[in-house]
Amino acid sequence: MGMFEGKKILILGVANKKSIAWAVAQALKNEGATLAMTYMNEAIEKRLRPLAEELGVTDVLPCDVQSDEEIDNLFTELESRWGTMDGLVHSVAFADKDDLAKPFSEASREGFKLALDISAYSFVALAGRAKKLMKDGGSMVTMSYLGAERAVDNYNVMGVAKAALESSVRYLAADLGSQNIRVNAVSAGPIKTLAASGIPQFKQLLANFAAKAPLQRNTEAEDVAGATLFLLSSLGSGVTGETTYVDCGFNIMGV
Ligand code: NAD
Ligand code: 0WE
């Protein structure tokens, strides 16, 4: 009997088999969870449907997190299908490509707003709806990166968005704790996913990372899934408002 038998968990952010959210979905399924997954547009839907089928997930729903209406519709649908839910996994981020290349001091108002909207506010918007379905308490997990606290080359506006996301985790944890809802972030080391493709010198970043990290290797999506399952499960019952590093120890090292 799996640890998540009878638990209903919503996952946002599966785009393909390299997605961190896909590793989380697989691990949750292995532990008996009932899952719902979302896609942001038809292109992603096409890729997601067969993946969901592979896991036996039938609840596949649209949700562009930039739209309040789509978020509302998602939870209306989940309420009628599930009634209650136990977990939320937010694995979504986006910034305009240009903002990850040009000097940070040249970030545009629009680019800044876009990154904050999709990568940070969306978690708050989802939490506000999900809490109403978490009638027996629950657990929410989002994905962050070290660029929230350190000035990582090129991460720029995404770093500011992740700082807002990690702060939102603390405010949500304070707000929702009385309903026995825990809220945490996992700060993952760099992983070669779709969201990392086209980043200049990402290969070099991965090589430097593995060389410096105490575990002498890169982070894998499965590492992130392990910590996410801990935070979603009763093993994490006393943990809320935290950002947990899953980065092979990279963040503890000096230069
Ligand atoms: P990914 O590209 O597989 O996942 C990003 C997801 O965001 C995609 O599924 C995409 O469809 C979704 N998305 C973007 N805009 C959206 C919108 N408007 N509405 C709904 N969904 C939208 O890449 P990933 O690396 O698995 O990223 C998942 C999370 O992990 C992100 O929050 C990312 O910042 C974080 N993270 C990634 C790394 C890394 O190196 N890959 C490291 C630390 C944290
Ligand atoms: O959070 C991320 C990815 C964020 C991301 C990536 C892209 C690329 C394609 C957000 N939006 C976009 N928009 C695009 O058009 N990571 C933690 C991975 C990542 O991204 C970086 C990194 C690392 C690590 C960008 C610059 C420097 C390092």
Side-chain angles (χ1 to χ4, degrees):
M1 172 111 163
M3 283 202 75
F4 287 89
E5 217 73 53
K7 299 291 184 192
K8 289 168 285 197
I9 298 174
L10 170 63
I11 304 185
L12 295 94
V14 180
N16 59 36
K17 285 198 168 181
K18 289 183 171 176
S19 295
I20 292 172
W22 173 245
V24 174
Q26 285 183 298
L28 282 170
K29 259 293 169 191
N30 282 338
E31 291 298 328
T34 299
L35 303 180
M37 291 178 179
T38 66
Y39 54 87
M40 78 158 171
N41 58 36
E42 286 91 64
I44 305 277
E45 179 184 11
K46 257 193 169 163
R47 283 190 257 162
L48 180 61
R49 292 261 175 215
L51 297 187
E53 192 157 354
E54 194 178 313
L55 285 188
V57 173
T58 50
D59 295 299
V60 179
L61 298 161
C63 185
D64 180 334
V65 299
Q66 285 199 275
S67 161
D68 283 332
E69 194 189 335
E70 289 195 25
I71 295 174
D72 283 334
N73 291 342
L74 167 65
F75 283 94
T76 302
E77 196 54 41
L78 281 180
E79 178 158 35
S80 76
R81 293 188 189 193
W82 281 358
T84 63
M85 65 186 277
D86 305 286
L88 169 69
V89 178
H90 174 270
S91 189
V92 168
F94 189 78
D96 196 293
K97 217 175 165 61
D98 293 346
D99 285 314
L100 302 175
K102 66 188 181 198
F104 181 61
S105 56
E106 292 166 28
S108 68
R109 192 181 300 275
E110 274 313 304
F112 191 98
K113 273 171 73 170
L114 181 72
L116 271 283
D117 184 29
I118 297 180
S119 314
Y121 177 71
S122 65
F123 187 54
V124 181
L126 291 160
R129 272 74 161 195
K131 72 174 184 188
K132 296 174 190 148
L133 294 188
M134 291 182 168
K135 291 165 190 163
D136 305 317
S139 176
M140 306 179 180
V141 179
T142 186
M143 301 302 161
S144 193
Y145 176 60
L146 188 61
E149 321 160 50
R150 312 263 182 88
V152 174
D153 282 348
N154 300 318
Y155 200 62
N156 297 356
V157 84
M158 270 307 306
V160 178
K162 291 302 192 190
L165 179 67
E166 290 182 11
S167 182
S168 299
V169 162
R170 292 185 284 273
Y171 281 96
L172 288 169
D175 181 14
L176 302 178
S178 61
Q179 293 157 70
N180 196 29
I181 297 170
R182 297 181 295 103
V183 187
N184 292 285
V186 171
S187 183
I191 302 171
K192 194 159 173 37
T193 62
L194 188 64
S197 67
I199 309 272
Q201 286 159 359
F202 196 76
K203 251 193 168 157
Q204 191 58 53
L205 183 97
L206 287 177
N208 291 339
F209 188 95
K212 280 190 188 143
L215 296 182
Q216 296 283 292
R217 65 169 176 87
N218 281 116
T219 310
E220 284 170 15
E222 291 69 25
D223 298 319
V224 179
T228 302
L229 262 65
F230 157 72
L231 292 168
L232 288 171
S233 79
S234 60
L235 291 174
S237 56
V239 183
T240 194
E242 290 293 325
T243 298
T244 301
Y245 293 101
V246 178
D247 66 349
C248 300
F250 181 86
N251 76 93
I252 68 161
M253 299 303 290
V255 248

